[in-house]
Amino acid sequence: GADGPTAPGGIGGQSGTTAPGGCRQHTDANNDELCDVCRRSVIVTFDFYSINDLHGKFADASGHIGVDELSTYLLNAQYADENAVFLAAGDMWQGSPESNLTYGNIITDWMNELDFTAAAVGNHDLDWGENYLEANTKMADFPFLAINIYDRDTNARVSYCDASVMLDRGGVQVGIIGAIGDCYSSISADKTTGIYFKVGSDLTALVKAESDRLRAAGADFIVYVIHDGYGKSQSGSANASQLKSYYDLSLSDGYVDLVFEGHTHQGYVLQDTHGVYHLQNRGDNKGGISHADVAINSVTLQAKVQEAKLVYTSVYQSLDDHPVVNNLLNKYRDIISKAD
């Protein structure tokens, strides 16, 4: 949040005394995406991969595939691109014996192993109560983002969640803001006695203020991860009336540049009337991954989404299983065996 973390990073660039290529500082006067002096590319590319509504589908079962092949796909992407960014849009834990019996710990451990950058909080992440959510945030090597979860006693944002995180890569800074939607009806009332969510216009105000803060701190691109989403699976365009149940279109007017969503278990790649992309996959490790390839000119700071798509499970389900899954199943074997 305002006191949130800055993710590790920095691969050189304008911010140092000497830019890559031997230039003291890259320039791009003719906007050809090459440095005027050393002729190296001044483009920094980010590959964002977002998972939503995994619901604990960790190990292979008769009704679903696990994350063995998904892990291989993501780690291959990370190996190919040091600026691959892994995000989660909520509801990662609840739904399978191995995750339920460990109260989500095995999924959080898996996310640590894959070096996730951040995760938004979903309604089912509160199914066991606030204490278990807080416990997972403490074991995570990444921040849980929930700009709008507030403590009823202090009327301050809960201490175990941040509003945002900032990435610094190659002289380009990306801010990531996270939120939960108006999901009270999907949570048992006794699990939210100590907290409340700011939604609607209050949430819009929070996101705009955080975006302004991140821009002032140097953010060149803002990603918004929200556990809420559009109610239909489709591709194409979306207007304010379609998005209004969970998203204020005014956020796309200079505050947010890319949105990853969840909760509704719909598969879509939509572009709103401001040109901002909204992505959600169908969840349950059935609908794949939301992926956006973003190129940012480190000199002019112009940004463009080069590609926004869903990566379906058919793309990676034939890959080799990654050992991280079995390693974690062995780690939590004693706890998981209680399901037998």
Side-chain angles (χ1 to χ4, degrees):
D3 52 355
T6 297
I11 55 173
Q14 287 181 267
S15 56
T17 55
T18 303
C23 298
R24 183 168 181 83
Q25 183 169 321
H26 289 319
T27 59
D28 186 17
N30 61 357
N31 200 28
D32 65 353
E33 301 185 347
L34 299 173
C35 175
D36 300 325
V37 179
C38 70
R39 303 308 293 165
R40 290 198 177 192
S41 173
V42 295
I43 298 298
V44 178
T45 301
F46 291 83
D47 273 303
F48 295 98
Y49 298 87
S50 178
I51 299 171
N52 57 271
D53 303 278
L54 180 65
H55 288 290
K57 303 299 192 296
F58 185 72
D60 291 328
S62 58
H64 64 261
I65 63 171
V67 297
D68 313 69
E69 301 91 353
L70 172 62
S71 300
T72 301
Y73 180 85
L74 289 175
L75 289 172
N76 284 347
Q78 190 179 72
Y79 179 79
D81 182 2
E82 60 188 337
N83 290 340
V85 178
F86 301 158
L87 303 170
D91 281 5
M92 293 292 285
W93 303 324
Q94 175 67 270
S96 74
E98 61 269 22
S99 185
N100 288 5
L101 288 165
T102 63
Y103 292 101
N105 289 175
I106 195 170
I107 301 294
T108 302
D109 237 346
W110 172 72
M111 295 169 73
N112 284 341
E113 291 289 334
L114 267 69
D115 195 25
F116 269 67
T117 293
V121 174
N123 55 293
H124 286 296
D125 299 329
L126 284 157
D127 279 355
W128 305 306
E130 187 183 1
N131 290 342
Y132 287 101
L133 170 58
E134 183 173 5
N136 273 281
T137 68
K138 288 180 177 178
M139 72 174 287
D141 295 334
F142 53 89
F144 278 80
L145 305 180
I147 194 172
N148 58 330
I149 299 182
Y150 274 65
D151 186 292
R152 290 188 188 276
D153 292 331
T154 65
N155 285 319
R157 192 182 69 249
V158 293
S159 60
Y160 50 84
C161 290
D162 293 292
S164 65
V165 64
M166 186 91 91
L167 301 178
D168 189 336
R169 302 285 191 273
V172 171
Q173 296 191 76
V174 173
I176 302 169
I177 301 171
I180 187 171
D182 189 357
C183 303
Y184 279 115
S185 61
S186 301
I187 308 171
S188 297
D190 63 331
K191 305 303 183 185
T192 57
T193 54
I195 56 176
Y196 66 95
F197 307 158
K198 289 192 175 184
V199 297
S201 60
D202 289 336
L203 175 56
T204 294
L206 286 173
V207 174
K208 286 183 175 180
E210 188 65 8
S211 174
D212 284 342
R213 189 192 72 79
L214 291 170
R215 300 277 194 201
D220 306 305
F221 193 83
I222 302 290
V223 178
Y224 185 32
V225 187
I226 179 171
H227 187 72
D228 212 342
Y230 188 57
K232 295 181 179 179
S233 291
Q234 67 177 61
S235 296
S237 59
N239 57 39
S241 64
Q242 292 171 294
L243 305 178
K244 67 179 181 181
S245 67
Y246 71 96
Y247 183 83
D248 187 332
L249 193 60
S250 68
L251 291 173
S252 293
D253 190 11
Y255 298 97
V256 169
D257 301 306
L258 176 66
V259 190
F260 291 108
E261 301 169 355
H263 186 55
T264 56
H265 289 238
Q266 301 299 312
Y268 55 77
V269 177
L270 299 173
Q271 197 169 17
D272 68 31
T273 51
H274 287 284
V276 171
Y277 281 97
H278 300 246
L279 296 88
Q280 182 182 181
N281 65 76
R282 296 183 65 88
D284 290 309
N285 203 20
K286 294 179 180 177
I289 312 161
S290 302
H291 174 225
D293 178 7
V294 178
I296 303 174
N297 187 313
S298 62
V299 177
T300 66
L301 303 180
Q302 292 177 322
K304 60 182 177 182
V305 177
Q306 299 187 121
E307 185 177 37
K309 65 180 182 180
L310 301 185
V311 180
Y312 295 101
T313 52
S314 59
V315 172
Y316 55 81
Q317 64 184 7
S318 61
L319 296 177
D320 292 337
D321 292 348
H322 197 280
V324 67
V325 173
N326 269 334
N327 291 344
L328 289 172
L329 288 172
N330 287 329
K331 176 179 179 178
Y332 290 95
R333 180 192 300 138
D334 292 344
I335 299 173
I336 295 170
S337 66
K338 295 176 184 178
D340 297 334

